[in-house]
């Protein structure tokens, strides 16, 4: 059983992009990429922190993959308990819809502390066989990206 983590910047700006033609193209490409990762790299577990933007979209796409492949699992590694506390109602509904229907949701830490999100991401990278990561986050975590893993920039 192999694991893939998905790491992207927390972004409200993504929501405007998501509902555009370019967003539709990106969504289709991401869905194809996740399917390819499951098939080519024999990944059965996908892990995300379900932050706003690409990560929550990826989690929803993994849920879609599960409809055709019951060996696929979605785990939500939520950095801290109140991650969605200051999100809009719409954002929270989407967040909890993913978290409550995932195969496993857990808190990296109960309370927020400076650096807890980064610590969560570092652990996700460490435990994964395949890392799907945005360019900005790849630069941020370059020092903790060990060799021997498959890295895919999105």
């Amino acid at each position: 059983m192999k694991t893939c983590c998905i790491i992207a910047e927390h972004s409200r700006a993504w929501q405007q992009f998501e509902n555009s033609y370019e967003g539709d193209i990106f969504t289709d490409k991401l869905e194809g990429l996740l399917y390819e990762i499951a098939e080519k790299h024999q990944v059965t577990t996908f892990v995300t922190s379900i932050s706003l933007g690409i990560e929550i979209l990826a989690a929803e796409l993994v849920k879609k993959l599960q409809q055709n492949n019951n060996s696929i699992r979605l785990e939500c590694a939520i950095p801290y308990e109140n991650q969605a506390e200051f999100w809009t109602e719409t954002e929270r509904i989407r967040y909890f819809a993913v978290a409550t229907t995932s195969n496993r949701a857990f808190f990296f830490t109960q309370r927020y502390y400076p650096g807890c999100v980064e610590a969560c991401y570092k652990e996700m990278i460490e435990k994964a066989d395949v890392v799907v990561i945005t360019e900005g986050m790849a630069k941020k975590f370059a020092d903790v990206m060990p060799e021997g893993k498959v890295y895919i920039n999105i």
Side-chain angles (χ1 to χ4, degrees):
M1 178 170 86
K2 290 186 178 178
T3 300
C4 171
C5 71
I6 303 152
I7 298 177
E9 293 85 349
H10 172 96
S11 173
R12 281 203 163 94
W14 165 255
Q15 293 169 325
Q16 296 169 358
F17 176 73
E18 184 176 21
N19 296 316
S20 69
Y21 175 74
E22 293 84 5
D24 290 344
I25 291 171
F26 179 84
T27 299
D28 290 345
K29 286 183 179 180
L30 182 57
E31 183 175 7
L33 176 63
L34 295 173
Y35 177 82
E36 181 182 319
I37 289 168
E39 295 296 313
K40 181 179 176 183
H41 298 286
Q42 298 155 346
V43 166
T44 55
T45 302
F46 290 84
V47 183
T48 175
S49 75
I50 56 174
S51 67
L52 282 177
I54 294 171
E55 283 194 40
I56 201 163
L57 170 65
E60 291 167 339
L61 293 173
V62 170
K63 296 293 296 172
K64 192 173 174 183
L65 283 177
Q66 287 180 316
Q67 295 172 2
N68 297 319
N69 184 341
N70 62 4
S71 68
I72 299 289
R73 295 179 44 83
L74 173 64
E75 294 188 1
C76 300
I78 302 166
Y80 58 99
E81 188 172 3
N82 294 327
Q83 174 174 269
E85 183 177 13
F86 299 107
W87 296 10
T88 68
E89 183 178 354
T90 302
E91 292 164 347
R92 289 170 55 82
I93 288 169
R94 191 173 179 187
Y95 170 85
F96 286 112
V98 169
T100 59
T101 59
S102 67
N103 296 93
R104 179 175 175 235
F106 59 95
F107 300 117
F108 178 76
T109 186
Q110 292 298 311
R111 299 187 193 280
Y112 175 84
Y113 64 85
C116 69
V117 175
E118 291 79 6
C120 180
Y121 283 148
K122 286 177 183 178
E123 186 169 311
M124 288 168 57
I125 291 168
E126 187 178 292
K127 291 182 176 182
D129 301 293
V130 178
V131 178
V132 174
I133 191 164
T134 59
E135 186 177 334
M137 295 300 262
K139 289 176 183 174
K140 184 174 185 173
F141 291 101
D143 62 322
V144 294
M145 294 173 65
E147 293 183 22
K149 297 181 183 281
V150 176
Y151 293 98
I152 301 169
N153 285 349
I154 54 172

